[in-house]
């Protein structure tokens, strides 16, 4: 049967613009196909989004989307479905890594239920010894950690391997090198790095089309960084401690089952901190975030 006679294909939406969807075939090496949605489907599935796996067919070389496959996940910032990996990016230096900010990003990543890795970029600014030291601290907490430098391509191959076959979104505070990393992963992209001019800064009210960039067959990275406004307001105080992988061995042993590990007597986590089994710095990051969550929940139910 000729491809133009209604054979169904499956692909991934990599870009959506002006009512058209650009779809990469999942099963073949073919190029991106421009698709639109039939009126009938438009009523049942009003919002096909970037990342969606869709069924489509070709009619005179024009793609027609006929169905959207169930979404595994939906990320809100950027608005993409079926993301397989969040890449939480920090820098070794300039800006210096702030433990409580790292904890905050890692917790949001964990809470999103999407697998994630931690990347410390700008290794060139600190040298190997210092870079390894920081990475190992986070490895010991239980995270998967990579060090990179876009100056000398350090860590590029290892990072590409971690992304292979996945749809990834980079996230992290500004200035850590997310755009530079995208450029490193996909040379020729030419994304602007450095300070954004006020005109093009991505403020709260400016939306930007998100696009999946193809790194190789079945490997994609979003051209827009993920959440950088990082309120934890939706998290309940009691949900916080389990999101610290290095705390998990000590949870469930406190005197009170409702223990928030702050001022409660008989707290197994505090004991672990006193015995230096849990890093005090991580515990302090926890307390900072806990007090923020307590306040936001208190406001909610006032
Ligand atoms: P973003 O805000 O996270 O997207 O950060 P950018 O990609 O815009 O990078 C911020 C600044 O850090 C730019 O001036 C980059 O040239 C610089 N930069 C990015 N990666 C590295 C790196 O690995 N080493 C060094 N020395 N500078 C870097
Ligand atoms: Zn406790």
């Amino acid at each position: 049967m000729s491809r133009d006679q209604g054979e169904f294909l499956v692909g991934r939406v990599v870009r959506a613009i002006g009512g058209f969807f650009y779809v990469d075939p999942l099963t073949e090496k073919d190029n991106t196909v421009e698709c639109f949605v039939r009126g009938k489907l438009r009523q049942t599935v009003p919002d096909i989004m970037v990342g969606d796996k869709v069924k489509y067919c070709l009619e005179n070389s024009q793609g027609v989307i006929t169905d959207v496959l169930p979404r595994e996940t939906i990320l809100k910032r950027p608005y993409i479905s079926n993301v397989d990996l969040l890449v939480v990016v920090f820098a070794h230096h300039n800006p210096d890594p702030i433990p409580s900010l790292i904890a905050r990003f890692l917790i949001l990543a964990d809470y999103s239920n999407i697998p994630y890795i931690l990347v410390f970029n700008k290794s060139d600014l600190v040298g190997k010894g210092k870079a390894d030291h920081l990475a190992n601290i986070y490895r010991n907490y239980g995270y998967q950690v990579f060090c990179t430098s876009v100056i000398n391509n350090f860590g590029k191959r290892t990072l590409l391997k971690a992304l292979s076959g996945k749809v990834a979104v980079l996230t992290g505070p500004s200035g850590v090198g997310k755009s530079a990393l995208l450029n490193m992963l996909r040379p020729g992209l030419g994304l602007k790095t450095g300070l954004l001019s006020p005109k093009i800064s991505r403020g709260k009210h400016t939306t930007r089309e998100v696009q999946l960039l193809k790194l190789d067959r079945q490997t994609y990275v979003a051209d827009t960084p993920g959440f950088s406004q990082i309120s934890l307001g939706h998290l309940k105080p009691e949900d916080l401690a389990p999101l610290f992988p290095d705390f998990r061995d000590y949870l469930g042993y406190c005197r009170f089952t409702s223990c928030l590990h702050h001022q409660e007597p008989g707290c197994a986590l505090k004991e672990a901190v006193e015995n230096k089994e849990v890093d005090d710095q991580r515990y302090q990051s926890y307390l900072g975030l806990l007090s923020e969550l307590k306040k936001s929940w208190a406001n909610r139910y006032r």
Side-chain angles (χ1 to χ4, degrees), residues 15-75:
R15 191 170 180 219
I17 195 158
F20 285 101
F21 301 93
Y22 295 84
V23 175
D24 272 10
L26 281 190
T27 47
E28 305 171 48
K29 284 188 178 165
D30 296 354
N31 290 332
T32 310
V33 183
E34 187 189 85
C35 296
F36 68 90
V37 184
R38 275 267 152 70
K40 204 169 60 181
L41 182 62
R42 211 173 278 159
Q43 285 157 15
T44 50
V45 189
D47 64 332
I48 293 179
M49 60 198 283
V50 170
D52 277 347
K53 291 177 192 164
V54 294
K55 278 190 192 165
Y56 66 100
C57 57
L58 292 172
E59 290 177 3
N60 303 321
S61 304
Q62 170 72 57
V64 181
I65 293 176
T66 56
D67 206 358
V68 181
L69 304 188
R71 291 169 182 151
E72 282 152 38
T73 52
I74 296 180
L75 191 67

Side-chain angles (χ1 to χ4, degrees), residues 250-251 254-256 259-262 264 266-270:
Y250 305 94
L251 302 180
C254 303
R255 187 179 307 163
F256 302 106
C259 187
L260 289 176
H261 325 294
H262 181 206
E264 297 87 341
C267 173
L269 182 63
K270 267 196 297 182

